[in-house]
Amino acid sequence: QVQLVESGGGLVQAGGSLRLSCAASGGTFSNYAMGWFRQAPGKEREFVAAITGSDSYRSYADSVKGRFTISRDNAKNTVYLQMNSLKPEDTAVYYCAAGYSALSHYAAEYVYWGQGTQVTVSS
């Protein structure tokens, strides 16, 4: 059983930056592909970014490409999401997830989920 705990969310003005962290425990972290998803009020959960266990490959949603960067530190059992040039439409609860399907964009293919962290971008 893997436990995931996100942190780093908050309120930021448009154009600003935030760095989300997701600390994992209870498993061999490098065995898992990791993903970030987000869910805005009244909307479905959507894919943001994913990274393979060995950090060989990364994938991004078109809406965040060039602004967000996913990374991981397997020695610290942590995955990060650096978010730059934030826009009001990035406002959502951000979730990290762990699974076995490398770079999947589908939430159903992730096995473990964190509780989420709120990101609010003001205009």
Side-chain angles (χ1 to χ4, degrees), residues 2-58:
V2 175
Q3 292 80 44
L4 302 172
V5 179
E6 302 98 334
S7 61
L11 174 64
V12 63
Q13 288 188 332
S17 298
L18 281 175
R19 187 195 197 203
L20 304 183
S21 299
C22 173
S25 61
T28 303
F29 184 64
S30 59
N31 287 349
Y32 296 96
M34 299 298 295
W36 285 97
F37 289 76
R38 66 187 182 186
Q39 189 166 17
K43 295 188 177 181
E44 293 186 354
R45 191 169 298 189
E46 66 172 357
F47 170 78
V48 175
I51 187 168
T52 55
S54 60
D55 194 8
S56 298
Y57 300 97
R58 305 174 184 185

